Structures are given as C-alpha cells and as structure tokens.
Amino acid sequence: MLSLFFQESTYKVCVSKEQVHRSVRCKVKRSIDILGALLGLAITAAVAVPLAVAMLLDNPGPLLYSHVRCGLKGQHFRMWKFRSMVVDADNLKHLVTNEANGPTFKNDNDPRVTRLGRFLRSSSLDELPQFWNVLIGEMSLVGTRPPISNEVAGYEDFHWQRLNVKPGLTGEWQVHGRSGVKDFDDILRMDLDYQRKWSVVYDITLICQTIGVVLSKNGAC
C-alpha cells in the first residue's frame, strides 16, 4: 500500500547508476511541459462534466481511473485517465488474451472496454487527466509510455534503458503505430530511437504529429 503514496523503485541497481537522459534536466522541455499541462488541464475540465453524464448513462462508476505505473528510473507513480473500462476491469484482466509479444499487454477487442470507452480511446480523450501527472513532474508531454510493474518484472537488462527518460503522453509509439504495434522489441526500438534523436525541436515535432494522428484516429484502439 505504501507504493500508492510514496515513490518506490523497481529499477535494477546495475542500471540505476547510469546518468539520466539529458532531456530530464532540460529546463526548456520542462517549461513546455508546464505550459502544455495547464492548457491540457483546462481542456480536461471542460470535457469532464459531459463525460461524467455520458458515463453515468453507459456504465455507472467513477469518472477517473488510476493505476500505479513505472516511470523514470523505475519509480512508481499513480497515473490518471478517464475510465474507459468496466469498474472491475483489473480483476478481469486474466480472462483477456494478450495479443502482444513480450512484456507488454494489448488486445484490440478487449471485452472490458465500455461503449463510451471505445470512443474515449479512439479519440485519446481518456488520456487527458495525465496532464496532471505532467504538471507535477511525474510525466512529460513527450517520452515513453509508462509500463506496469508486472511488465517490468519480465524485463531483460537492456530493456531498462527505455526508462532513462520520463514517461510521456505521446512519443514515437503514439506517432508511429499506436495500437498497431504489438511487438515489445518494436516498442523498445522506438523508445531508444527517441532518446537518440531527442531535442526540444524534435519534441515539438512529435507533439504536432500526435495532434494529426489523433484527429485522423490513425492506429486507434
């Protein structure tokens, strides 16, 4: 239970001694994160009420869903989303077939997803509450998608390199495939490509490309 309130680390000792990626210390990137998060939270507040009403009609339950994820250097943090699944979804996960290869989980027709949830996912509206995680510094606008602890438990040593940057709302995966990428090796390659190519300009480029991908619903779940 302590992991819900305090940051813990699942990062292996031999890897945690590495220096964090230069993007983590970049003040310009952090400034963009803060400005983007404030704008994103304003949008989140604007859509929260109509989504709450729609959720009440479709599948009554909490508007928000949170889950403990692994971020920078394997630190645990609580990530927020608009709920897109049935209330007891976590306890039903063992009933759903994993269509991905490697230590990650994907199912294009997950029966736990509600009717409203499918719209939220295809439009990426379910991700809006994560602007709060960005504002308080647990995430960035651009990075790698944060894995869950069970996935990280299956990592090989070289897989941990993907956690040398802050987790992001978007990144290489969001722009180049989204739900269509089901092989963990491909996800890892994209994450390491991002670290190698990173610059503030590249972050802005990925943000702009993400807007286009979301509007076109290309690769949506």
Side-chain angles (χ1 to χ4, degrees):
M1 288 295 292
L2 289 177
S3 65
L4 304 185
F5 303 99
F6 300 99
Q7 286 190 333
E8 297 180 354
S9 179
T10 56
Y11 210 79
K12 294 186 178 180
V13 175
C14 61
V15 183
S16 63
K17 293 180 180 179
E18 295 181 2
Q19 291 187 348
V20 295
H21 190 267
R22 64 187 188 280
S23 64
V24 178
R25 297 192 177 94
C26 180
K27 293 182 179 180
V28 176
K29 179 179 175 68
R30 180 59 186 151
S31 297
I32 294 173
D33 283 347
I34 292 173
L35 292 175
L38 292 173
L39 176 60
L41 287 173
I43 298 172
T44 304
V47 304
V49 173
L51 283 181
V53 173
M55 195 172 294
L56 181 63
L57 297 174
D58 179 47
N59 188 267
L63 174 64
L64 296 175
Y65 166 82
S66 67
H67 198 270
V68 175
R69 298 295 183 100
C70 297
L72 177 68
K73 292 286 187 179
Q75 290 182 328
H76 291 178
F77 72 100
R78 185 163 288 279
M79 188 182 78
W80 293 91
K81 303 178 75 172
F82 284 129
R83 182 173 62 88
S84 62
M85 291 186 174
V86 296
V87 174
D88 202 29
D90 286 340
N91 293 329
L92 300 174
K93 185 176 180 178
H94 68 283
L95 300 176
V96 182
T97 301
N98 184 10
E99 298 175 347
N101 297 318
T104 188
F105 185 91
K106 292 183 185 299
N107 186 297
D108 289 341
N109 298 297
D110 195 322
R112 300 172 298 166
V113 180
T114 64
R115 288 179 299 174
L116 176 62
R118 295 198 181 281
F119 166 73
L120 293 176
R121 290 184 168 207
S122 65
S123 61
S124 294
L125 288 175
D126 61 320
E127 309 284 357
L128 289 179
Q130 289 166 45
F131 281 113
W132 171 252
N133 295 114
V134 175
L135 183 64
I136 63 177
E138 294 171 333
M139 293 179 64
S140 176
L141 292 179
V142 186
T144 183
R145 292 303 295 163
I148 62 176
S149 297
N150 289 344
E151 295 171 353
V152 170
Y155 278 11
E156 301 292 338
D157 285 348
F158 66 95
H159 291 155
W160 289 86
Q161 297 175 73
R162 71 188 301 259
L163 300 182
N164 281 338
V165 298
K166 283 186 179 182
L169 266 171
T170 188
E172 293 279 350
W173 171 83
Q174 187 78 8
V175 172
H176 301 117
R178 300 177 73 186
S179 63
V181 181
K182 296 180 180 179
D183 193 309
F184 181 73
D185 288 341
D186 291 334
I187 295 173
L188 178 65
R189 175 182 53 77
M190 291 182 187
D191 289 337
L192 298 186
D193 280 348
Y194 169 72
Q195 293 183 31
R196 187 181 70 256
K197 296 186 288 187
W198 178 81
S199 70
V200 171
V201 173
Y202 190 58
D203 269 5
I204 295 173
T205 299
L206 287 176
I207 291 171
C208 293
Q209 290 178 337
T210 299
I211 294 173
V213 169
V214 170
L215 291 177
S216 68
K217 296 186 179 180
N218 183 29
C221 295

